[in-house]
């Protein structure tokens, strides 16, 4: 073997090693990808209303999970504080909605929670409890008036400004 042939052989050997290392680190081995036996726990991926949004007094609360859930375990794990009469309804295998029996009370903070005992359809529990704090729509109130109450010597053609909280 001459020097040139030896150099080519080393190049092929080095490139083969790089290829095998890259394949091993990407999870590919023997022609098929390797799979992990661990599955991430389910989680709530969407809410309605969203965090920070006010809840209408005639509104509903919806929780959307990232996969089909075990309905019985979720129903026993959901809670609203302060307590509200109503019914949880499944609109799909991933979405549960709460409809109150009566209108929500105005300007009240509610906490909707799902305990870690809620499981997906395969039995995997939530990694940690979920909690959503909501506030219902408040009353319309005046927040500022210009000119202020009690002002004197105001021109008859002055603009009067009244600002509200919404």
């Amino acid at each position: 073997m001459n020097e040139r042939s030896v150099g080519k052989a080393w190049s092929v050997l080095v490139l083969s090693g790089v290829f095998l290392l890259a394949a091993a680190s990407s999870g590919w081995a023997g022609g098929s990808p390797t799979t992990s036996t661990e599955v991430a726990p389910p989680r709530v991926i969407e809410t309605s209303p969203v965090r920070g949004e006010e809840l209408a007094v005639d509104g509903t609360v919806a929780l959307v999970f990232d996969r089909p859930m075990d309905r019985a375990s979720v129903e026993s794990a959901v809670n609203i504080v302060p307590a509200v009469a109503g019914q949880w309804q499944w609109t799909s295998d991933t979405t549960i909605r709460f409809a109150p029996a009566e209108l929500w009370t105005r300007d009240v903070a509610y906490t909707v929670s799902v305990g870690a005992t809620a499981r997906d359809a395969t039995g995997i529990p939530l990694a940690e409890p979920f909690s959503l704090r909501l506030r219902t729509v408040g009353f319309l109130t005046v927040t500022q008036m210009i000119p202020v109450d009690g002002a004197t010597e105001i021109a008859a053609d002055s603009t009067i400004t009244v600002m509200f909280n919404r």
Side-chain angles (χ1 to χ4, degrees):
M1 223 185 227
N2 65 28
E3 225 178 278
R4 191 171 199 178
S5 297
V6 171
K8 285 183 182 180
W10 274 107
S11 296
V12 170
L13 183 61
V14 169
L15 286 174
S16 297
V18 169
F19 174 75
L20 289 174
L21 284 173
S25 67
S26 68
W28 184 81
S32 65
T34 59
T35 57
S36 171
T37 56
E38 254 185 70
V39 177
R43 61 190 180 98
V44 175
I45 57 169
E46 187 177 324
T47 65
S48 176
V50 297
R51 290 186 192 276
E53 182 181 7
E54 288 182 316
L55 173 61
V57 292
D58 62 347
T60 60
V61 174
L63 304 174
V64 180
F65 295 89
D66 66 344
R67 68 189 73 172
M69 298 298 288
D70 174 68
R71 293 181 178 197
S73 72
V74 173
E75 290 170 15
S76 66
V78 293
N79 190 30
I80 298 178
V81 175
V84 177
Q87 184 177 7
W88 287 98
Q89 304 163 341
W90 288 90
T91 59
S92 73
D93 288 337
T94 60
T95 305
I96 189 168
R97 182 178 309 273
F98 181 79
E102 296 181 12
L103 295 179
W104 297 92
T105 304
R106 275 191 187 277
D107 200 24
V108 171
Y110 292 94
T111 301
V112 179
S113 60
V114 183
T117 57
R119 298 182 313 273
D120 71 8
T122 65
I124 299 172
L126 294 178
E128 58 187 36
F130 171 83
S131 182
L132 173 67
R133 186 171 164 87
L134 300 169
R135 179 167 284 282
T136 51
V137 174
F139 294 96
L140 183 64
T141 59
V142 174
T143 58
Q144 185 177 9
M145 293 187 330
I146 302 172
V148 297
D149 190 24
T152 59
E153 299 182 26
I154 300 168
D157 62 347
S158 294
T159 300
I160 297 174
T161 304
V162 179
M163 291 187 224
F164 298 90
N165 64 338
R166 58 186 77 255

